[in-house]
Amino acid sequence: MFDLPVGLPSELVPLSWLIGVWEGSGVLEYQIGDESVSRTFGHRISFSHDGLPHLNYSSYTWLEPEAPAASSETDADVPAPALSASPTSSLSDELLSGDKLPLVTETGYWRLSRHQGDGDPGPGMLPGTGERPFTSAAAVETLRNRDGGFDIEVTLVHPGGVAELYLGQVKGPRIDLATDAVLRTGGAKPYAAATRLYGLVDNHLLWAWDIAALGQDLRTHSSGRLARVE
């Protein structure tokens, strides 16, 4: 059973089932032209709040070591020095060492989508004036959309020069998101759009992420299953 954290802003109740630290594994499957990338990875994400009406989000992933290929009879007859002299990439060297290889990270903020009023802080460091809005359950209920869920906004930043703004909705234990805007620096890799799906199933956080990148259209990219560890 999940208990609401003390001091949780009323606006975050629809997203409260995300709060905590989750860890598990996932599968990367992405088709690039005629080639397919397929890997397994570990994943740890955190959702927290600081008293403001948004969730703080961070994600860290690492590649799991690949199982070494079974040796053939031909390989068994080759002296070890000859095998070690064959060319391998630095990536393979690190994976074969058995250590986790850091993959990607991202950080961001999740909140209900609504107009910012005088009682909200900002822009910049400007404090709000007057009472903060939507501080009661009854007030938050007025934000429900026609589908019975709540519209949400998610802002994510990647260290590779990409920032994403997602729009979507949370409805019970399910969240659907699609990019409304993607901002890239001049040195970032091509990345045009994405969708994400999150769901709470049997006390596990399941997620899927489709992307349009490297000149490809929107397609399956990765998915995972996480358990709450904190």
Side-chain angles (χ1 to χ4, degrees):
M1 182 177 178
F2 174 70
D3 296 323
L4 292 178
V6 176
L8 183 71
S10 297
E11 285 184 65
L12 293 185
V13 172
L15 294 167
S16 61
W17 53 272
L18 290 170
I19 296 175
V21 178
W22 304 79
E23 188 166 317
S25 60
V27 177
L28 165 64
E29 295 280 356
Y30 195 61
Q31 188 77 24
I32 307 173
D34 295 330
E35 306 219 351
S36 179
V37 178
S38 179
R39 293 300 303 271
T40 60
F41 59 88
H43 191 194
R44 183 180 179 91
I45 65 175
S46 170
F47 289 94
S48 63
H49 83 95
D50 50 19
L52 294 171
H54 62 258
L55 290 182
N56 304 306
Y57 165 85
S58 64
S59 170
Y60 172 72
T61 58
W62 60 91
L63 286 173
E64 297 288 3
E66 289 186 314
S71 299
S72 64
E73 292 183 3
T74 302
D75 289 340
D77 296 333
V78 179
L83 284 176
S84 61
S86 60
T88 57
S89 67
S90 59
L91 177 61
S92 299
D93 290 340
E94 294 186 52
L95 291 180
L96 291 175
S97 71
D99 295 333
K100 295 176 180 178
L101 180 67
L103 184 55
V104 296
T105 64
E106 57 184 15
T107 187
Y109 303 95
W110 298 53
R111 70 180 185 91
L112 297 193
S113 180
R114 64 168 178 82
H115 292 292
Q116 298 293 288
D118 292 339
D120 295 299
M125 297 287 290
L126 295 175
T129 58
E131 295 184 2
R132 288 193 174 181
F134 303 100
T135 57
S136 67
V140 173
E141 279 298 311
T142 66
L143 296 174
R144 281 195 185 272
N145 59 31
R146 294 180 179 179
D147 292 332
F150 293 90
D151 295 329
I152 62 175
E153 299 175 7
V154 176
T155 305
L156 299 181
V157 178
H158 306 259
V162 173
E164 302 172 274
L165 172 62
Y166 286 90
L167 301 181
Q169 79 162 357
V170 54
K171 187 175 182 181
R174 177 185 171 114
I175 294 173
D176 294 272
L177 300 171
T179 49
D180 182 62
V182 174
L183 178 67
R184 296 187 295 115
T185 63
K189 292 184 177 181
Y191 181 91
T195 62
R196 301 198 191 205
L197 169 67
Y198 297 81
L200 188 63
V201 181
D202 295 330
N203 293 319
H204 284 76
L205 181 61
L206 276 60
W207 62 269
W209 183 10
D210 294 352
I211 65 173
L214 302 176
Q216 312 299 305
D217 55 7
L218 190 67
R219 60 187 61 187
T220 300
H221 168 56
S222 58
S223 61
R225 181 183 181 95
L226 312 175
R228 185 182 275 113
V229 294
E230 294 180 23

